[in-house]
Amino acid sequence: MKNFIFISPNFPTNYWMFCKELKNNGLNVLGIGDQPYDELSYELKDSLNEYYKVDSLENYDSVYRATAFFIHKYGRIDWLESNNEYWLEQNAKLRSDFNIKSGFQIEDIPRIKFKSKMKEYYKKAGIPAARYHLADTLKNSKAFAKEVGYPIIAKPDNGVGAADTHRISSDKELNDFFETKMPGVTYILEEYIDAAVNSYDAIIDSNGEPIFETGNVTPNSIMDIVNTADNSIYYIVKDLPEDTRKAGRAAVKSFGVKSRFIHFEFFRLLSDHKGMGKKGDITALEVNMRPCGGFTPDMINFGHSTNVYKIWADMIAFDKSTVESGADKFCAYAGLRDGKNFVMSHEDIMEKYGENMRMVERIPDALSGAMGNQMYVAVFDTEKEMNSFYDHVLEYKKPAGPKKSAKPVKRAIKKPAKRTAKKSAAKRAV
């Protein structure tokens, strides 16, 4: 029996389904997390053979000791994974330290975690990427901004999602950024690209070949959603565009991806961009060596009538899968922000779109920055129907206009004697 250590199986809350399908495939599933066992969901408890609670997953020594305990009790570990970008580096170190050969090792981390290193491998795949500069000095950074033009984007070179990402539009804002940026963090500056994010989401076998492929589109910038506390929308495509498929497969080969669930992000240009391409072209953004976050695996299932949790577990156990897809639909995510004055109430939304709805949940605080607070996931046969859904659920109430002044009361004015015409006219105008 193969031994599989799943790091943080309780977060996100839907990840117990990865464990369930692994166990159904005959693997010995061993969980390591920092949540007390009694607080784990029944479904997760039933999907694990054993669980080891550590004081903190941030404490490498604690996680190391937990892994050593499982090795002592169960023998050689065949797989160690979290499917979570936050633990990607820690996972690689554990594999290297315990000689677990499946998955990335610590020496692989730079090319899959540092945004500046990713560009080299995108280039090898023949996919253009935005110009960049590592923010060493203010003088050099201003020179870069002058070269590419404002706005520019600043973010940690080794970062997760859109956290600590900034749009900088002037020398003054660049000065402010240097005064307030996190100490000890290396930032990458990139030229701004007018584009929508199109992703390539796939489960890759041990030969680097896709077992399953799809994609999603994020029309709005995640950076803006986080920084302005805006609503969040994205959707699973009904049919994966061929140019996205081609770019995704080329990037898989270039980055040397094997036996993983991946989420590769590309820009689809909304306007011509010198050095990058024409409007509509696909260019590079960044790679994520894990599933797209939150409830996206569930959305993929709804959009393609399939089970990616099982497809992934089949890849781990058998290096192939016989799970088929059914009818393809658009699967739309709408993450509404608390405190907004929407036209439609929750009850209105459910009454109008109840038949389309597949999930209605509150988003955990840890994910709400990029995903909103109240989420609705619905499926639609056509893009037109989906866009109408977005138009309705995201519509704001119009602010009340200024109050109209009271209608003046007409009354007769008795003209005083001996008043000049000029003065009389002035009096009437008052």
Side-chain angles (χ1 to χ4, degrees):
M1 179 182 290
K2 291 183 179 180
N3 294 318
F4 192 109
I5 291 180
F6 205 108
I7 305 292
S8 188
N10 57 303
F11 186 85
T13 55
N14 50 326
Y15 274 25
W16 67 268
M17 287 186 274
F18 285 120
C19 298
K20 171 190 172 184
E21 297 299 346
L22 287 172
K23 191 174 182 182
N24 287 344
N25 281 346
L27 276 72
N28 200 34
V29 187
L30 312 168
I32 299 176
D34 53 15
Q35 186 174 11
Y37 180 78
D38 290 343
E39 296 178 8
L40 301 179
S41 69
Y42 167 79
E43 293 86 356
L44 177 55
K45 289 178 182 178
D46 196 50
S47 302
L48 298 173
N49 294 88
E50 189 167 349
Y51 179 75
Y52 190 112
K53 181 194 176 299
V54 296
D55 55 348
S56 170
L57 286 173
E58 301 280 0
N59 186 330
Y60 183 77
D61 287 342
S62 294
V63 182
Y64 181 96
R65 287 194 296 271
T67 305
F69 169 80
F70 281 144
I71 291 174
H72 176 74
K73 185 171 182 178
Y74 295 100
R76 181 175 179 271
I77 302 300
D78 300 283
W79 294 84
L80 184 147
E81 187 57 75
S82 66
N83 278 343
N84 192 316
E85 186 176 356
Y86 189 80
W87 306 116
L88 196 65
E89 194 165 349
Q90 184 194 79
N91 294 170
K93 183 170 174 54
L94 287 167
R95 293 190 200 101
S96 295
D97 286 349
F98 287 103
N99 196 32
I100 302 169
K101 294 303 182 183
S102 56
F104 290 116
Q105 307 295 303
I106 195 65
E107 62 267 21
D108 297 316
I109 287 298
R111 79 174 188 275
I112 64 175
K113 280 287 286 177
F114 290 87
K115 294 173 175 61
S116 57
K117 300 293 184 183
M118 293 176 188
K119 294 179 184 292
E120 175 185 343
Y121 291 87
Y122 268 129
K123 184 177 179 181
K124 288 180 181 179
I127 304 168
R131 291 172 289 178
Y132 75 98
H133 171 73
L134 293 179
D136 49 359
T137 67
L138 178 58
K139 180 180 178 181
N140 291 342
S141 298
K142 283 185 176 180
F144 171 73
K146 184 177 180 180
E147 176 188 353
V148 302
Y150 286 114
I152 58 175
I153 305 300
K155 52 191 172 183
D157 192 29
N158 181 10
V160 178
D164 199 15
T165 300
H166 311 269
R167 187 200 304 265
I168 298 173
S169 300
S170 66
D171 281 352
K172 180 183 182 304
E173 290 183 8
L174 188 56
N175 290 340
D176 294 341
F177 167 74
F178 265 83
E179 290 178 1
T180 59
K181 67 185 179 70
M182 292 287 291
V185 175
T186 299
Y187 286 83
I188 183 174
L189 306 178
E190 294 180 305
E191 62 180 321
Y192 174 77
I193 306 297
D194 179 28
V197 175
N198 283 227
S199 77
Y200 174 76
D201 298 83
I203 298 172
I204 308 298
D205 69 14
S206 64
N207 297 311
E209 298 297 330
I211 295 175
F212 175 84
E213 299 171 295
T214 186
N216 65 62
V217 173
T218 305
N220 299 333
S221 163
I222 293 294
M223 174 189 66
D224 291 339
I225 290 169
V226 172
N227 290 339
T228 65
D230 199 0
N231 304 305
S232 175
I233 66 171
Y234 72 101
Y235 59 89
I236 305 299
V237 296
K238 185 174 182 178
D239 299 297
L240 182 65
E242 280 306 311
D243 55 357
T244 307
R245 188 191 310 274
K246 181 180 178 182
R249 290 183 176 184
V252 164
K253 298 297 183 185
S254 181
F255 281 88
V257 180
K258 295 180 180 180
S259 303
R260 294 199 72 80
F261 199 148
I262 59 166
H263 172 65
F264 285 7
E265 294 179 340
F266 299 93
F267 279 137
R268 187 174 295 280
L269 299 180
L270 298 177
S271 58
D272 295 352
H273 196 290
K274 185 178 180 181
M276 295 287 285
K278 299 290 186 180
K279 179 180 179 180
D281 286 351
I282 286 289
T283 62
L285 177 52
E286 64 185 55
V287 296
N288 298 282
M289 300 297 178
R290 44 78 180 172
C292 188
F295 296 98
T296 306
D298 302 284
M299 291 175 58
I300 294 173
N301 288 346
F302 299 141
H304 298 294
S305 303
T306 190
N307 184 349
V308 293
Y309 297 105
K310 178 163 177 53
I311 296 173
W312 175 83
D314 286 353
M315 177 272 294
I316 296 294
F318 316 120
D319 203 28
K320 62 181 180 180
S321 181
T322 58
V323 176
E324 297 181 355
S325 295
D328 297 313
K329 297 176 181 289
F330 290 96
C331 187
Y333 176 96
L336 276 58
R337 192 73 62 182
D338 289 348
K340 303 285 187 181
N341 196 17
F342 295 105
V343 170
M344 296 186 74
S345 66
H346 170 75
E347 291 73 21
D348 294 335
I349 293 172
M350 295 307 298
E351 181 178 353
K352 185 174 181 63
Y353 293 106
E355 292 185 0
N356 304 87
M357 210 64 70
R358 295 297 179 270
M359 293 185 75
V360 179
E361 300 278 350
R362 291 292 295 177
I363 296 297
D365 290 342
L367 301 175
S368 63
M371 301 188 70
N373 303 107
Q374 176 65 47
M375 69 90 153
Y376 299 92
V377 171
V379 295
F380 300 94
D381 290 322
T382 68
E383 190 170 5
K384 182 179 179 180
E385 291 174 318
M386 179 180 68
N387 289 337
S388 177
F389 164 74
Y390 281 135
D391 289 342
H392 283 113
V393 301
L394 298 175
E395 183 181 3
Y396 294 124
K397 292 180 181 178
K398 294 180 180 178
K403 291 184 178 180
K404 295 182 179 180
S405 58
K407 190 175 181 179
V409 178
K410 293 182 179 180
R411 60 175 178 263
I413 300 177
K414 185 178 180 181
K415 295 181 182 180
K418 299 182 180 180
R419 184 176 297 275
T420 63
K422 183 176 181 181
K423 287 183 178 180
S424 298
K427 180 68 176 179
R428 289 194 297 271
V430 175

